[in-house]
Amino acid sequence: MTRPVKSPFRAVFIMRSRYTEDCLAEALIRGVRQYVILGAGLDTFAYRQPSWASSLRIYEIDHPASQEWKRERLEVAEVKIPENLTFAPIDFEITSLREGLATAGFDFRTPSFFSLLGVTQYLTIEATESIFELVQSLPQGTEIVFEFIVPEDLIPADEASVFATLASFSAERGEPWLTRFRPAELETKLTGLGFSQVTHLSPSAANERYFRGRHDELAAWSGAQMMRAVV
Ligand SMILES: C[S@@+](CC[C@H](N)C(=O)[O-])C[C@H]1O[C@@H](n2cnc3c(N)ncnc32)[C@H](O)[C@@H]1O
């Protein structure tokens, strides 16, 4: 059996943002004051930010071409740019995150929160690891929440054709999926880098947390999974 690509797949997008923002709300309580959205794409957090986010400086980091396109779309749609938002164009394969953040005025002494959603598959392993290393070098309490695609052998049969279609669609557009991670290896890698807490949100944990008792088709997928790592 194959799951249809369209509507139930929106659960992936809804859940990854909801989980990230739940973690961000927790991080704020322990003193985080900067939120860095890596590979922001059309992320809308800054434009619909809840009142509790007003103490945050938000950085949208993205590939220069994507960021330019988004900013044009925001202008056309007459979306007001919030005062606590800074844009920073960075190609992670060319410019180090440290350098890009420094140019944007990021405060390296303040505990910060990073999200990386729907991005790791487009990056080389080296670029992703260098992001993890930079985050780990920041003050205690800093956190990253990210999504990753698992290798084909970990994708259940009912999702296999959906993920194969997404991967080949991306490759045809010139954005091949370069990197996938095994959750257990990733946990070991992040712990080895020095993160003090590493939590894998398994699909069953995600279903329990966000989709329990639903009577529609919305549910967590196994092909795309989430992890959080706290310094
Ligand atoms: C599928 S979109 C995800 C957007 C958003 N984070 C979300 O959750 O919907 C992938 C994003 O990764 C960014 N990206 C891909 N390769 C990149 C690179 N080398 N440097 C910076 N950003 C990159 C793209 O510009 C795009 O915004």
Side-chain angles (χ1 to χ4, degrees):
M1 196 180 82
T2 301
R3 290 168 82 163
V5 180
K6 279 186 187 153
S7 78
F9 200 71
R10 75 180 192 274
V12 169
F13 307 113
I14 299 165
M15 195 274 285
R16 72 187 186 198
S17 292
R18 172 63 193 271
Y19 179 61
T20 303
E21 291 165 27
D22 284 351
C23 294
L24 173 64
E26 275 176 36
L28 206 79
I29 294 167
R30 62 171 193 266
V32 155
R33 289 293 174 268
Q34 299 182 108
Y35 176 25
V36 184
I37 307 173
L38 300 167
L42 295 179
D43 191 292
T44 56
F45 180 79
Y47 315 95
R48 58 174 169 78
Q49 55 184 285
S51 54
W52 54 257
S54 62
S55 63
L56 285 172
R57 168 117 315 257
I58 302 170
Y59 295 87
E60 281 200 13
I61 313 285
D62 210 347
H63 190 283
S66 306
Q67 191 163 90
E68 191 183 338
W69 178 75
K70 180 179 189 175
R71 294 186 74 168
E72 283 166 14
R73 303 313 307 154
L74 288 167
E75 201 174 322
V76 169
E78 297 181 6
V79 175
K80 187 173 174 294
I81 307 300
E83 281 176 11
N84 61 342
L85 173 63
T86 301
F87 290 101
I90 303 178
D91 182 338
F92 299 130
E93 303 292 343
I94 296 175
T95 307
S96 76
L97 183 54
R98 178 174 289 282
E99 192 185 332
L101 286 174
T103 306
F106 179 82
D107 181 355
F108 289 87
R109 296 160 306 176
T110 301
S112 300
F113 186 94
F114 292 75
S115 67
L116 183 64
L117 307 179
V119 184
T120 55
Q121 67 268 36
Y122 299 109
L123 302 181
T124 56
I125 183 86
E126 292 79 12
T128 306
E129 285 180 352
S130 116
I131 290 172
F132 292 150
E133 282 163 15
L134 179 279
V135 172
Q136 198 285 322
S137 73
L138 295 174
Q140 196 175 15
T142 293
E143 174 168 354
I144 183 165
V145 172
F146 65 96
E147 187 194 36
F148 57 98
I149 304 289
V150 301
E152 278 171 4
D153 62 289
L154 294 186
I155 298 182
D158 66 339
E159 295 180 17
S161 74
V162 172
F163 279 86
T165 303
L166 291 171
S168 63
F169 177 69
S170 278
E172 278 163 27
R173 288 178 8 146
E175 297 173 343
W177 286 5
L178 303 176
T179 301
R180 297 176 187 237
F181 289 106
R182 291 182 187 278
E185 289 176 11
L186 199 45
E187 285 181 274
T188 304
K189 184 191 291 281
L190 291 164
T191 306
L193 281 175
F195 285 96
S196 68
Q197 283 175 51
V198 178
T199 309
H200 172 217
L201 183 73
S202 66
S204 58
N207 274 323
E208 179 61 21
R209 183 167 171 157
Y210 293 116
F211 298 104
R212 185 157 40 102
R214 293 194 70 95
H215 299 294
D216 53 28
E217 291 178 293
L218 294 188
W221 288 61
S222 297
Q225 302 190 17
M226 305 281 299
M227 198 166 283
R228 69 190 292 196
V230 182
V231 176

Coordinates of all heavy atoms in Angstrom, one line a residue, residues 13 16-17 37-43 61-67 90-94 116-119 121-123 147 175, ligand 1:
F13 N 4.8 19.0 7.6 CA 5.1 20.5 7.6 C 4.6 21.1 8.9 O 5.2 21.9 9.6 CB 4.6 21.2 6.4 CG 5.1 20.6 5.1 CD1 4.2 19.9 4.3 CD2 6.5 20.6 4.8 CE1 4.7 19.3 3.1 CE2 6.9 20.0 3.7 CZ 6.0 19.4 2.8
R16 N 6.6 19.6 12.1 CA 8.0 20.0 12.3 C 8.0 21.5 12.9 O 8.8 21.8 13.7 CB 8.8 19.9 11.1 CG 8.6 20.8 9.9 CD 9.4 20.4 8.7 NE 9.3 21.4 7.6 CZ 9.6 21.1 6.4 NH1 10.0 19.9 6.0 NH2 9.5 22.1 5.5
S17 N 7.1 22.3 12.4 CA 7.1 23.7 12.9 C 6.5 23.7 14.3 O 7.0 24.4 15.2 CB 6.2 24.6 12.0 OG 6.8 24.8 10.8
I37 N 16.6 31.0 12.3 CA 15.9 30.0 11.4 C 16.8 29.7 10.2 O 16.9 30.6 9.3 CB 14.5 30.6 11.0 CG1 13.7 31.1 12.2 CG2 13.7 29.6 10.2 CD1 12.4 31.9 11.9
L38 N 17.4 28.6 10.2 CA 18.4 28.2 9.2 C 17.6 27.6 7.9 O 16.8 26.7 8.1 CB 19.4 27.2 9.7 CG 20.2 27.7 10.9 CD1 20.9 26.5 11.6 CD2 21.2 28.7 10.5
G39 N 17.9 28.1 6.8 CA 17.2 27.6 5.6 C 15.7 28.0 5.7 O 14.9 27.1 5.5
A40 N 15.5 29.3 6.0 CA 14.1 29.7 6.4 C 13.0 29.4 5.4 O 11.9 29.1 5.7 CB 14.1 31.1 6.8
G41 N 13.4 29.5 4.1 CA 12.4 29.3 3.1 C 11.2 30.2 3.4 O 11.3 31.4 3.7
L42 N 10.0 29.6 3.3 CA 8.8 30.4 3.5 C 8.3 30.3 5.0 O 7.1 30.5 5.2 CB 7.7 29.9 2.5 CG 8.0 30.2 1.1 CD1 6.9 29.8 0.1 CD2 8.3 31.7 0.8
D43 N 9.2 30.0 5.9 CA 8.8 29.9 7.3 C 8.1 31.2 7.7 O 8.6 32.3 7.3 CB 10.1 29.8 8.1 CG 9.8 29.4 9.6 OD1 9.2 30.3 10.3 OD2 10.1 28.3 10.0
I61 N 18.0 33.0 8.1 CA 19.2 32.7 7.3 C 18.8 31.8 6.1 O 18.1 30.8 6.3 CB 20.2 31.9 8.1 CG1 20.4 32.5 9.5 CG2 21.5 31.7 7.4 CD1 21.2 33.7 9.6
D62 N 19.2 32.2 5.0 CA 18.8 31.4 3.8 C 19.8 31.6 2.7 O 20.5 32.6 2.6 CB 17.4 31.7 3.4 CG 16.7 30.4 2.7 OD1 17.4 29.5 2.4 OD2 15.4 30.5 2.6
H63 N 19.7 30.7 1.7 CA 20.5 30.8 0.5 C 20.1 32.2 -0.1 O 18.9 32.5 -0.2 CB 20.1 29.7 -0.5 CG 21.0 29.6 -1.7 ND1 20.9 30.4 -2.7 CD2 22.0 28.8 -1.9 CE1 21.8 30.2 -3.6 NE2 22.5 29.1 -3.2
P64 N 21.1 32.9 -0.6 CA 20.8 34.3 -1.1 C 19.6 34.3 -2.1 O 18.8 35.2 -2.1 CB 22.1 34.7 -1.8 CG 23.2 33.9 -1.0 CD 22.5 32.6 -0.6
A65 N 19.6 33.4 -3.1 CA 18.5 33.4 -4.1 C 17.2 33.2 -3.5 O 16.2 33.9 -3.8 CB 18.8 32.3 -5.1
S66 N 17.1 32.2 -2.5 CA 15.8 31.9 -1.8 C 15.3 33.1 -1.0 O 14.2 33.5 -1.0 CB 15.9 30.7 -0.9 OG 16.4 29.6 -1.6
Q67 N 16.3 33.8 -0.4 CA 15.9 34.9 0.5 C 15.5 36.1 -0.3 O 14.5 36.8 0.1 CB 17.1 35.3 1.4 CG 16.7 36.2 2.5 CD 17.7 36.3 3.6 OE1 18.6 37.1 3.6 NE2 17.5 35.5 4.6
I90 N 23.0 33.5 3.3 CA 24.3 32.7 3.4 C 24.1 31.4 2.6 O 23.0 30.7 2.7 CB 24.5 32.2 4.9 CG1 24.6 33.4 5.9 CG2 25.8 31.3 5.0 CD1 24.8 32.9 7.3
D91 N 25.0 31.0 1.8 CA 25.1 29.7 1.2 C 25.9 28.9 2.1 O 27.1 29.1 2.2 CB 25.6 29.8 -0.2 CG 25.7 28.4 -0.9 OD1 25.6 27.4 -0.2 OD2 25.7 28.4 -2.1
F92 N 25.3 27.9 2.8 CA 26.0 27.1 3.8 C 27.2 26.3 3.2 O 28.1 25.8 3.9 CB 25.1 26.1 4.5 CG 24.0 26.7 5.3 CD1 22.7 26.3 5.1 CD2 24.2 27.7 6.2 CE1 21.6 26.9 5.8 CE2 23.2 28.3 6.9 CZ 21.9 27.9 6.7
E93 N 27.2 26.1 1.9 CA 28.3 25.4 1.3 C 29.5 26.3 1.0 O 30.6 25.8 0.6 CB 27.8 24.7 -0.1 CG 26.6 23.8 0.1 CD 26.9 22.5 0.9 OE1 28.1 22.2 1.0 OE2 26.0 21.9 1.3
I94 N 29.3 27.6 1.1 CA 30.3 28.5 0.7 C 30.8 29.4 1.9 O 32.0 29.5 2.2 CB 29.9 29.5 -0.4 CG1 29.6 28.7 -1.6 CG2 30.9 30.6 -0.6 CD1 28.9 29.6 -2.8
L116 N 16.3 24.0 11.8 CA 16.9 23.6 10.5 C 15.9 22.6 10.0 O 16.0 21.4 10.2 CB 18.3 23.0 10.8 CG 19.1 22.5 9.6 CD1 19.5 23.7 8.7 CD2 20.4 21.8 10.1
L117 N 14.8 23.1 9.3 CA 13.7 22.2 8.9 C 13.6 22.1 7.4 O 13.6 23.1 6.7 CB 12.4 22.8 9.4 CG 12.4 23.2 10.9 CD1 11.0 23.8 11.3 CD2 12.6 22.0 11.8
G118 N 13.6 20.8 7.0 CA 13.5 20.6 5.5 C 14.8 21.0 4.8 O 14.7 21.3 3.6
V119 N 15.9 21.0 5.4 CA 17.1 21.5 4.8 C 18.3 20.5 4.7 O 19.0 20.4 3.7 CB 17.6 22.8 5.6 CG1 18.9 23.4 4.9 CG2 16.6 23.8 5.7
Q121 N 18.7 17.5 4.0 CA 18.9 16.6 2.8 C 19.5 17.4 1.6 O 20.1 16.7 0.7 CB 17.5 16.0 2.4 CG 16.5 16.9 1.9 CD 15.6 17.4 3.0 OE1 16.0 17.7 4.1 NE2 14.3 17.6 2.7
Y122 N 19.5 18.7 1.6 CA 20.0 19.5 0.5 C 21.5 19.8 0.7 O 22.1 20.4 -0.2 CB 19.2 20.7 0.3 CG 17.8 20.5 -0.1 CD1 16.8 20.8 0.9 CD2 17.4 19.9 -1.3 CE1 15.4 20.5 0.6 CE2 16.1 19.7 -1.6 CZ 15.1 19.9 -0.7 OH 13.8 19.7 -0.9
L123 N 22.0 19.6 1.9 CA 23.4 20.0 2.2 C 24.3 18.8 2.2 O 23.9 17.7 2.4 CB 23.4 20.6 3.6 CG 22.5 21.8 3.9 CD1 22.7 22.3 5.3 CD2 22.7 22.9 2.9
E147 N 15.3 18.7 11.3 CA 14.6 17.5 10.6 C 15.6 16.9 9.7 O 16.5 17.5 9.2 CB 13.4 18.1 9.8 CG 12.6 17.0 9.2 CD 11.6 17.6 8.2 OE1 12.1 18.5 7.4 OE2 10.5 17.1 8.1
E175 N 18.1 20.1 -7.3 CA 18.4 20.2 -5.8 C 18.3 18.7 -5.3 O 17.4 18.3 -4.6 CB 17.3 21.0 -5.1 CG 17.3 22.5 -5.6 CD 16.2 23.3 -5.0 OE1 15.2 22.7 -4.5 OE2 16.3 24.5 -5.0
Ligands
LIG1 C1 12.4 22.8 1.5 S1 12.9 24.4 2.0 C2 12.5 24.4 3.7 C3 12.1 25.7 4.1 C4 11.6 25.9 5.6 N1 12.7 25.7 6.5 C5 10.5 25.0 5.9 O1 10.5 24.4 7.0 O2 9.5 24.9 5.2 C6 14.7 24.2 1.9 C7 15.4 25.5 2.2 O3 16.8 25.1 2.3 C8 17.6 26.2 1.8 N2 18.9 25.7 1.4 C9 19.2 24.7 0.6 N3 20.5 24.6 0.3 C10 21.1 25.7 1.0 C11 22.4 26.2 1.1 N4 23.4 25.6 0.5 N5 22.6 27.3 1.9 C12 21.5 27.9 2.5 N6 20.3 27.5 2.4 C13 20.0 26.4 1.6 C14 16.7 26.7 0.6 O4 17.1 28.0 0.2 C15 15.3 26.6 1.2 O5 14.9 27.8 1.8

